[in-house]
Amino acid sequence: MSFSSNLKMEIIEQTIKASCCRKAFASALIASKAVVREGLVSINLENDAHAFFAAKFIAEFFGASPTPKRPKAGGRCRVLEFASKSAIRYVNSINSTESLYNAKCPTCEAAFFKGLFFAAGRISDPAKQYLLEFSPTNCCEKFLRSLSDIGIEARTTQRNGRTDIYIKKSSIIEDFFAFIGLNSAAFAFMNAKIESEFRNNTNRIVNCETNNISKSVTASHKQISVIDELERHNLLSSLPEELEATARLRIKYRDLSLSQLAAVAVPAISKSGLSHRLKKIMEYSETLLPSVKK
């Protein structure tokens, strides 16, 4: 199953105890996905498990016992179709009033938005993408304002002739799932963000080290080339004594890095001291050689 489906199964396995919160959850199912045609209410849900779970709440609060059916177009989607005057009154009321629901206790809001995600939401796997979307059939702008009222800032986009709500910022997605009580999702996004930052930092370090190694290798080849040229013209002895010793050490141990070369130098010298001497050799070569390979 997808990450989104797993979270919805977690909702099914949870218990919403208070009757007012259960009604808030049921209200979100109706408000977000109900379509009224010829006196019947229909709700499209993702699969059998989701449809049977939603049917329990509809039976409890809207006086109907719908049975999931396959849509005429086929597919995994299931349709709950039922006659309910109270459900139709509720759909009509949310189209004509500002409020989508009336919270009776502090946890009703969480239950309502849990119902919104269950019926109309989908979430990408945080290991791949940060994206939470809602596709309510009704009242998209009201859902957007309701999300804003609980501190969840979202945006809308047009897709296939409908208006969807989406959130791409991981911290806001974390806040939403923490608010509705799906802490596993909030933690999954936190962990994905930590892992992403760790990978990015590791890549930056590796790239930096690779660049430094590349620069060191290029500099080393250039120094050896110039020292070889000096030796070919019998000009190494024209260098000051300590620079001549450094030049001969460099061409004796051609494959050593600067720090390794400093470690074998006699007398001992620091890496920065050795680097300074090699730079001086390059400066001398510009006057000693008729031409310098660069």
Side-chain angles (χ1 to χ4, degrees), residues 47-187:
N47 55 43
D48 275 328
H50 295 180
F52 278 110
F53 184 68
K56 293 192 299 183
F57 288 86
I58 291 166
E60 183 176 354
F61 296 103
F62 293 100
S65 300
T67 300
K69 299 178 181 179
R70 288 182 180 273
K72 293 178 181 179
R76 290 190 312 166
C77 178
R78 293 295 180 267
V79 178
L80 294 178
E81 190 173 72
F82 55 96
S84 169
K85 292 182 179 179
S86 60
I88 293 173
R89 282 197 301 271
Y90 176 56
V91 172
N92 290 335
S93 72
I94 61 175
N95 286 327
S96 59
T97 61
E98 285 297 314
S99 177
L100 287 169
Y101 67 102
N102 294 315
K104 301 294 185 181
C105 78
T107 56
C108 280
E109 280 186 325
F112 182 84
F113 287 105
K114 186 180 290 185
L116 169 64
F117 173 69
F118 185 82
R122 56 189 174 275
I123 181 71
S124 298
D125 185 340
K128 300 176 181 177
Q129 185 183 24
Y130 300 152
L131 180 61
L132 171 60
E133 294 179 293
F134 303 97
S135 299
T137 304
N138 311 300
C139 308
C140 185
E141 290 299 324
K142 288 184 180 180
F143 277 111
L144 190 68
R145 288 196 299 271
S146 296
L147 286 166
S148 181
D149 289 342
I150 62 169
I152 304 299
E153 296 303 320
R155 296 183 178 184
T156 59
T157 185
Q158 297 298 314
R159 184 179 294 148
N160 298 326
R162 68 171 190 265
T163 303
D164 285 355
I165 299 169
Y166 72 92
I167 303 168
K168 287 187 174 181
K169 192 172 182 180
S170 62
S171 60
I172 297 178
I173 296 174
E174 291 165 20
D175 290 343
F176 175 80
F177 283 117
F179 180 80
I180 69 171
L182 285 180
N183 292 322
S184 61
F187 287 134

Side-chain angles (χ1 to χ4, degrees), residues 237-251:
S237 58
S238 301
L239 298 171
E241 185 178 346
E242 64 180 18
L243 296 186
E244 180 184 359
T246 299
R248 296 190 183 283
L249 186 70
R250 175 69 280 182
I251 58 175

